[in-house]
Amino acid sequence: AVSSDDIFISSENNEIIYIPTDCFLEPISTKEKYYVIDSFGTTMQPFIFDRDKLVIRRQKQNENVLDNRIYIINFDHQTFVKRLIKNINQLIVISDNTSLQGLEPIILKQKELNKVSILGQVVGIMRDCR
């Protein structure tokens, strides 16, 4: 059972992960929820690599998107890790890996924005450096 006082929610894999505070891009608040997820794929290289562990701060309802930050989003029943830029009536979804073809930025206009759920912001990355 998960208490509402828990800052981190553990996965069902029962793995122990030690997270140094230096890996966070912003300070931890006791009122925020953080998750650790595995990344898969190469669309966000060179910033995020396949099998990196991502520390995610849960997005609060009605919280603004910070431009040029990486978020976990759900769109059209799929979940993505992408860089976002918010304009007045649109959301620009960007993959960092410019060497892959077909990954041009996607511009979601006002009609499509109601299909987008922003689940959280990537605030830390853990990578095996061996």
Side-chain angles (χ1 to χ4, degrees):
V2 176
S3 159
S4 62
D5 295 329
D6 291 337
I7 294 177
F8 285 95
I9 309 299
S10 61
S11 72
E12 295 174 7
N13 296 337
N14 294 325
E15 52 190 329
I16 297 173
I17 301 171
Y18 296 97
I19 304 171
T21 54
D22 293 336
C23 77
F24 292 98
L25 299 176
E26 54 189 53
I28 295 176
S29 166
T30 58
K31 295 180 182 177
E32 311 225 36
K33 295 274 186 188
Y34 291 83
Y35 301 84
V36 177
I37 65 170
D38 290 323
S39 66
F40 296 98
T42 60
T43 63
M44 292 305 291
Q45 285 182 2
F47 190 69
I48 297 172
F49 288 88
D50 188 42
R51 307 292 178 176
D52 280 353
K53 293 203 181 295
L54 306 178
V55 179
I56 310 301
R57 182 183 53 79
R58 185 177 69 186
Q59 189 80 358
K60 295 176 185 169
Q61 193 172 20
N62 299 322
E63 184 177 354
N64 288 330
V65 169
L66 299 174
D67 278 349
N68 210 29
R69 302 283 176 95
I70 297 177
Y71 289 87
I72 307 297
I73 65 169
N74 189 295
F75 176 71
D76 203 22
H77 306 291
Q78 294 182 317
T79 302
F80 301 95
V81 177
K82 298 294 177 194
R83 191 172 300 280
L84 300 181
I85 297 175
K86 178 86 168 127
N87 287 335
I88 293 173
N89 290 320
Q90 64 185 13
L91 185 68
I92 302 170
V93 181
I94 302 168
S95 297
D96 281 359
N97 194 340
T98 56
S99 67
L100 296 175
Q101 291 184 347
L103 292 181
E104 290 78 24
I106 298 169
I107 299 174
L108 301 174
K109 302 207 187 251
Q110 185 65 37
K111 290 185 215 176
E112 301 165 305
L113 291 180
N114 61 354
K115 298 178 186 177
V116 175
S117 295
I118 300 174
L119 306 175
Q121 180 185 356
V122 175
V123 295
I125 299 172
M126 294 174 285
R127 183 172 298 142
D128 187 357
C129 297
R130 287 184 256 160

